[in-house]
Amino acid sequence: MRTGETRWAYTFLLPWIIGLVLFQAGPMIASAVLSFTDYDLIGAPEFVGADNYAALAADPRVARAIENTLLYTVIHVPLACVLALGLALLLNQVTGRAAGVFRTVFYLPSMTPTVAVGVLFLFLLNGQAGLLNEVLGVFGIEGPQWTSDPDWMLPGIVIMSLWNLGASTIVLFAALRNVPRELTEAAMIDGAGSRQRFRHITLPMISAALFFVVIVDTIAALQMFDQVYTMYFGTSQAQQTTGDAALFYVVYLFQQGFQYLHMGYASALAWLLFAVIAVITFIQIKVGDRLVHYE
């Protein structure tokens, strides 16, 4: 703190540090304490030890929520990464003034409010008059009841989630633009085809960005909430007809904390989710260290 540069650095960092303490670190510590209490937001917290964690281990709805969330993540993340990479490859082929227009068009879905997306797809996936089933009907395919059949709710949610690929597409597009042209040209001179160039040059050179997208998409998928809650849990009637087929982990956490006022139990659920995300991310990083090429 003796030098002027250091003082100015901490001065500019101070708003972020205050925000970190007040809005992130502070609430995390508070939720960790509350996870060992029985707290209803009205009375004083009552210490119950590890009862909340024992209760969630025996709660069948927690198991169902974890199952739905993990299944969604396993399906969504690979599809989202492949589609985002495909869109990025298409963008990389566009040159001139049209390039900026297409980048904007591909990114616009990311700017759409998530609640609006949930309402939109509630109509698009309607079993009787939804646009998706109308399109399938043109090809002679009878579309399922996406929003009411328990067997088709999760696939419908996956379809909805693929609407928002703008951020991942832009990240991968930027990585494609940074692939050294001389490597591609050298491979072409050696007779490598387009598939060989993509496999042995493009893919390794963008593997770091792809690895980043996989981690971010996995974390986001495990915390899926807004669209699902809007579609299936926004009203008590919708919640009764849906049952647990669309019950995601964060939706159940929200219900326990803000509908049933079991804030201590909800805090325990939140810390379990934190632990699961930390373990999955750690595994991904260890695997990524072997597969990712860092130039």
Side-chain angles (χ1 to χ4, degrees):
M1 296 295 291
R2 295 179 181 178
T3 65
E5 290 184 357
T6 303
R7 286 195 296 271
W8 276 112
Y10 279 104
T11 300
F12 285 114
L13 285 172
L14 189 60
W16 179 85
I17 294 173
I18 294 174
L20 174 67
V21 173
L22 292 181
F23 301 112
Q24 289 184 317
M28 286 183 68
I29 295 173
S31 70
V33 175
L34 289 176
S35 68
F36 296 98
T37 66
D38 181 11
Y39 181 44
D40 60 2
L41 295 177
I42 300 174
E46 180 182 349
F47 182 76
V48 294
D51 289 356
N52 287 327
Y53 292 95
L56 67 87
D59 190 342
R61 298 197 73 201
V62 171
R64 183 60 188 273
I66 292 176
E67 178 185 354
N68 290 341
T69 305
L70 290 179
L71 184 58
Y72 163 78
T73 303
V74 169
I75 298 173
H76 165 78
V77 173
L79 282 176
C81 292
V82 170
L83 290 176
L85 180 57
L87 293 175
L89 290 169
L90 290 176
L91 276 178
N92 200 37
Q93 301 299 319
V94 181
T95 57
R97 295 182 179 179
V101 175
F102 280 103
R103 292 175 206 167
T104 303
V105 170
F106 283 4
Y107 189 74
L108 275 179
S110 299
M111 306 298 292
T112 308
T114 53
V115 174
V117 173
V119 174
L120 172 65
F121 273 88
L122 193 59
F123 290 100
L124 293 178
L125 298 175
N126 184 276
Q128 278 68 41
L131 179 61
L132 180 56
N133 280 1
E134 292 290 336
V135 173
L136 293 175
V138 174
F139 299 96
I141 302 174
E142 183 180 355
Q145 301 294 320
W146 300 97
T147 58
S148 58
D149 188 343
D151 294 332
W152 286 99
M153 285 182 184
L154 190 60
I157 294 172
V158 172
I159 292 173
M160 174 189 62
S161 68
L162 298 177
W163 164 267
N164 184 8
L165 296 176
S168 300
T169 300
I170 296 301
V171 169
L172 295 175
F173 170 72
L176 288 171
R177 300 287 288 182
N178 287 326
V179 175
R181 185 181 297 273
E182 57 270 17
L183 294 180
T184 304
E185 292 175 348
M188 292 177 63
I189 293 173
D190 289 340
S194 58
R195 293 184 180 180
Q196 291 175 316
R197 294 197 302 271
F198 175 78
R199 178 182 177 183
H200 298 289
I201 296 177
T202 304
L203 201 56
M205 295 303 296
I206 69 169
S207 58
L210 191 59
F211 177 57
F212 168 79
V213 169
V214 169
I215 289 181
V216 172
D217 282 359
T218 302
I219 294 174
L222 291 171
Q223 299 180 82
M224 180 66 160
F225 171 75
D226 306 58
Q227 299 97 316
V228 175
Y229 188 84
T230 302
M231 292 179 66
Y232 297 108
F233 299 92
T235 63
S236 57
Q237 182 179 1
Q239 183 173 339
Q240 291 174 0
T241 57
T242 300
D244 291 343
L247 183 65
F248 277 52
Y249 191 88
V250 179
V251 172
Y252 187 58
L253 190 158
F254 176 84
Q255 289 177 337
Q256 289 295 326
F258 297 99
Q259 288 185 6
Y260 310 138
L261 299 183
H262 299 158
M263 190 56 67
Y265 190 58
S267 298
L269 288 169
W271 275 97
L272 175 61
L273 177 62
F274 176 81
V276 169
I277 292 176
V279 170
I280 292 177
T281 304
F282 176 79
I283 295 173
Q284 288 177 322
I285 291 175
K286 288 300 182 181
V287 174
D289 287 341
R290 302 179 181 179
L291 301 178
V292 176
H293 170 74
Y294 296 101
E295 187 177 4

